[in-house]
């Protein structure tokens, strides 16, 4: 069997992914920086482990590995070194980030990856699996789609890792895709979206969908928004936050996103996707994406979830529905 390496396996979602992958019978190796925590997790799952930092990863460390699935955020600090090492070693790279700078990096490295026989596919969790598939679905509902607005509803408590990643997203500034190009939009204003229970004011934010939606749909004008319906983004020392919501908290809050697509004739189509909580969805989707890549579903270079795995991939995760409005 081809081996899957889960990096950041002792983190909040990395542990869930490692346990799920092992339960699915995948041949996995867990990896990260903390020897004691890795040794404990590996013993629990009866799998091997490897210890390294992204900057110290060598091709030899990846011996026998076909796919590296990165859960170690903030991804601005780990993705570049891991992507480059995967390219050098001939290993496909996946991660779960929403940080737009990581998608820009994957785009830039796409040609080099293809020459090395490697695929780079960031965002195989929540975000961007549901929104990428939703964008393609909604785009098919109009003729000659010209613009799309995507809004995420984030409910409940966010994890420490998500708070760190959101800081990276905010630091990228406000961006939109206009006529096919990424453009700074510092004056972008909030907009209301209905996720199914009335309009919610959503703030503009630069998620990786500004890149994935462009590649998956070809729509030239894309803007992104988010509504935090639970706890606000915390201020102060993020390291003091809890690791993440527990199972009961996750069960209490489902996740939703809406896409509004405008066609060339002015027709507007709206579709909503609803899933289990994002922190529950992400390990399931990420491991399933890795399993399918291990089974041979791959194209060289930079790829997106919807293009590689199909528009129905988001709904293949139990508890996911798309509703057309």
């Amino acid at each position: 069997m081809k081996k899957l390496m889960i990096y950041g396996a002792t983190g909040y979602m990395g542990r869930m992914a490692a346990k799920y992958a092992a339960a699915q019978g995948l041949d996995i190796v867990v990896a990260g920086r903390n020897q004691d925590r890795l040794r404990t997790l590996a013993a629990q799952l009866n799998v091997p482990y490897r210890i390294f930092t992204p900057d110290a990863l060598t091709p030899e460390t990846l011996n026998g590995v076909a796919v590296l699935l990165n859960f170690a955020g903030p991804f601005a600090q780990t993705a570049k070194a891991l992507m480059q090492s995967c390219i050098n070693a001939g290993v496909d790279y996946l991660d779960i980030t929403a940080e737009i700078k990581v998608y820009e990096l994957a785009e830039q490295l796409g040609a080099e990856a293809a020459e090395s026989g490697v695929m780079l596919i960031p965002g195989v969790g929540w975000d961007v699996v549901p929104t990428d598939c939703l964008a393609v679905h909604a785009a098919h509902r109009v003729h000659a789609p010209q613009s799309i607005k995507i809004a995420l509803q984030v409910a409940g408590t966010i994890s420490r890792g998500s708070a760190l990643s959101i800081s990276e997203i905010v630091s990228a500034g406000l961006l939109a895709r206009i006529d096919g190009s990424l453009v700074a939009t510092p004056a972008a204003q909030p907009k209301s979206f209905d996720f199914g229970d009335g309009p919610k004011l959503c703030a503009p934010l630069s998620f990786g969908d500004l890149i994935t939606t462009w590649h998956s749909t070809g729509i030239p004008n894309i803007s992104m928004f988010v509504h935090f319906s639970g706890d606000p983004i915390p201020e102060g020392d993020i390291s003091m936050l809890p690791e993440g919501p527990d199972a009961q908290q996750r069960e209490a809050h489902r996740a939703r996103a809406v896409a509004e697509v405008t066609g060339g004739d002015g027709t507007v189509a709206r579709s909503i996707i609803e899933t289990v909580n994002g922190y529950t969805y992400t390990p399931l989707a990420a491991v399933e994406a890795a399993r399918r890549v291990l089974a041979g579903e791959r194209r060289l270079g930079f790829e997106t979830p919807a293009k590689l795995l199909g528009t129905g991939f988001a709904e293949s995760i139990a508890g996911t529905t798309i509703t057309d409005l």
Side-chain angles (χ1 to χ4, degrees):
M1 295 177 65
K2 296 178 179 178
K3 192 178 292 293
L4 167 66
M5 174 178 282
I6 298 177
Y7 188 74
T10 63
Y12 174 61
M13 284 193 290
R15 286 197 309 275
M16 288 191 278
K19 291 175 182 178
Y20 179 67
Q24 295 299 302
L26 296 181
D27 184 6
I28 68 169
V29 53
V30 293
R33 292 170 281 201
N34 188 304
Q35 180 170 344
D36 291 339
R37 292 169 68 181
L38 273 173
R39 184 188 297 116
T40 299
L41 178 64
Q44 290 174 350
L45 301 180
N46 192 29
V47 300
Y49 67 93
R50 299 179 190 177
I51 304 164
F52 59 88
T53 63
D55 290 336
L57 178 57
T58 66
E60 290 73 28
T61 309
L62 292 174
N63 279 345
V65 173
V67 174
L68 186 148
L69 176 54
N70 181 18
F71 276 86
F75 295 86
Q77 298 178 15
T78 63
K80 183 175 183 179
L82 291 177
M83 282 187 196
Q84 194 63 62
S85 294
C86 284
I87 290 171
N88 295 341
V91 173
D92 290 333
Y93 172 92
L94 287 68
D95 69 32
I96 59 162
T97 191
E99 299 169 28
I100 189 167
K101 290 182 180 179
V102 175
Y103 291 83
E104 290 180 301
L105 174 65
E107 251 189 337
Q108 293 162 10
L109 292 175
E112 182 183 352
E115 290 175 3
S116 298
V118 168
M119 180 174 65
L120 306 175
I121 179 167
V124 292
W126 218 127
D127 185 52
V128 300
V129 164
T131 47
D132 197 35
C133 294
L134 180 68
V136 175
H137 171 90
H140 287 160
R141 298 181 59 208
V142 302
H143 175 70
Q146 295 300 305
S147 68
I148 182 169
K149 298 179 179 69
I150 301 171
L152 288 67
Q153 184 180 48
V154 179
T157 302
I158 67 172
S159 72
R160 186 189 312 153
S162 291
L164 290 168
S165 273
I166 289 170
S167 296
E168 294 289 344
I169 294 169
V170 170
S171 73
L174 292 179
L175 302 167
R177 191 170 290 275
I178 300 175
D179 295 331
S181 299
L182 277 179
V183 177
T185 54
Q189 297 297 306
K191 176 179 170 58
S192 290
F193 292 86
D194 191 342
F195 297 94
D197 54 1
K200 305 291 184 185
L201 192 62
C202 301
L205 205 60
S206 305
F207 289 99
D209 303 76
L210 293 173
I211 292 175
T212 56
T213 300
W214 165 245
H215 283 273
S216 295
T217 70
I219 296 175
N221 299 289
I222 305 165
S223 52
M224 290 292 303
F225 301 83
V226 64
H227 174 73
F228 292 95
S229 61
D231 298 335
I233 299 175
E235 298 179 355
D237 188 354
I238 292 176
S239 68
M240 300 302 292
L241 290 174
E243 191 176 36
D246 60 28
Q248 184 176 2
Q249 291 171 323
R250 295 196 303 270
E251 186 69 24
H253 297 285
R254 292 174 64 80
R256 293 180 289 182
V258 60
E260 293 185 357
V261 184
T262 302
D265 59 358
T267 301
V268 177
R270 294 179 61 249
S271 298
I272 294 175
I273 190 165
E274 181 173 339
T275 76
V276 294
N277 186 274
Y279 295 114
T280 299
Y281 188 98
T282 292
L284 302 178
V287 169
E288 177 61 14
R291 184 193 67 76
R292 289 176 60 171
V293 173
L294 286 166
E297 293 186 52
R298 54 193 303 271
R299 284 195 295 267
L300 305 185
F302 172 72
E303 272 298 338
T304 69
K307 277 186 67 180
L308 180 75
L309 303 170
T311 308
F313 178 57
E315 292 177 283
S316 73
I317 306 303
T320 302
T321 57
I322 290 179
T323 304
D324 294 330
L325 303 174

